[in-house]
Amino acid sequence: MAEERGVELECTLADGDRLVVAGDQDELLRVAENLVENAVKYGRTGGRVDVRAERVQTASGDEVVLSVRDYGPGIAAGHLPRLTERFYRVDVAESRDKGGTGLGLAIVKHIVNRHRGRLAVESRPGEGATFRVAVPALD
Ligand SMILES: Nc1ncnc2c1ncn2[C@@H]1O[C@H](COP(=O)(O)OP(=O)(O)O)[C@@H](O)[C@H]1O
Ligand SMILES: [Mg+2]
């Protein structure tokens, strides 16, 4: 999909980090798929997408963090809190045009919650968006 749209996909696994979590492999794969698909679809104009997995220490234990960053148009602050609502789309026509249903991020959030994780979105219009999923790490 990235290739078709002329988007360069860069994947980095933090060197030496143990990136193992307890969970449902298919569901976690769907999380990654949804986020990368969105980054490629909506951030296409940025020309590249960075996917990174790393282990991060927090006060409540280690987490494995997957971040998906694009360099597209980004998302205005007012939309961020609502992105994970079912059927919520910033631009309905664009989403429909690109074959979207507005369910992807709702599913991501549901799966992440089931894994006792967190989903965070950061974006500044014009500078792309970063979606970050953190799930408790296994030792
Ligand atoms: N990386 C992104 N850059 C800009 N907008 C995004 C990005 N990811 C998601 N969005 C916005 O969030 C909406 C909801 O995403 P999602 O739930 O995956 O639905 P869908 O992709 O089916 O439209 C999208 O319609 C789009 O407007
Ligand atoms: Mg989607």
Side-chain angles (χ1 to χ4, degrees):
M1 184 182 173
E3 221 170 75
E4 260 169 33
R5 289 166 206 238
V7 174
E8 197 178 322
L9 195 61
E10 165 110 1
C11 299
T12 313
L13 298 183
D15 229 16
D17 282 8
R18 184 170 147 77
L19 304 170
V20 183
V21 301
D24 183 301
Q25 187 168 9
D26 290 339
E27 289 192 0
L28 291 171
L29 187 58
R30 190 159 314 132
V31 166
E33 250 171 27
N34 272 312
L35 295 180
V36 172
E37 185 185 303
N38 279 350
V40 169
K41 271 200 312 198
Y42 301 109
R44 186 182 52 81
T45 51
R48 80 176 241 247
V49 169
D50 299 330
V51 182
R52 185 179 165 81
E54 65 199 318
R55 192 171 172 116
V56 174
Q57 291 183 344
T58 76
S60 50
D62 282 10
E63 294 176 339
V64 173
V65 177
L66 174 77
S67 48
V68 180
R69 165 136 179 57
D70 72 71
Y71 299 83
I75 304 159
H79 292 293
L80 295 181
R82 300 197 58 189
L83 284 186
T84 58
E85 287 176 20
R86 278 187 290 168
F87 306 117
Y88 189 82
R89 292 172 286 185
V90 174
D91 182 330
V92 175
E94 186 195 17
S95 166
R96 198 177 290 136
D97 196 48
K98 293 177 173 173
T101 57
L103 283 172
L105 291 175
I107 292 168
V108 166
K109 182 164 190 183
H110 181 75
I111 293 173
V112 170
N113 285 345
R114 268 169 45 72
H115 287 80
R116 278 183 244 105
R118 289 172 295 115
L119 169 70
V121 191
E122 235 173 78
S123 180
R124 266 199 247 157
E127 294 177 22
T130 303
F131 287 76
R132 224 175 249 111
V133 167
V135 174
L138 284 186
D139 291 334

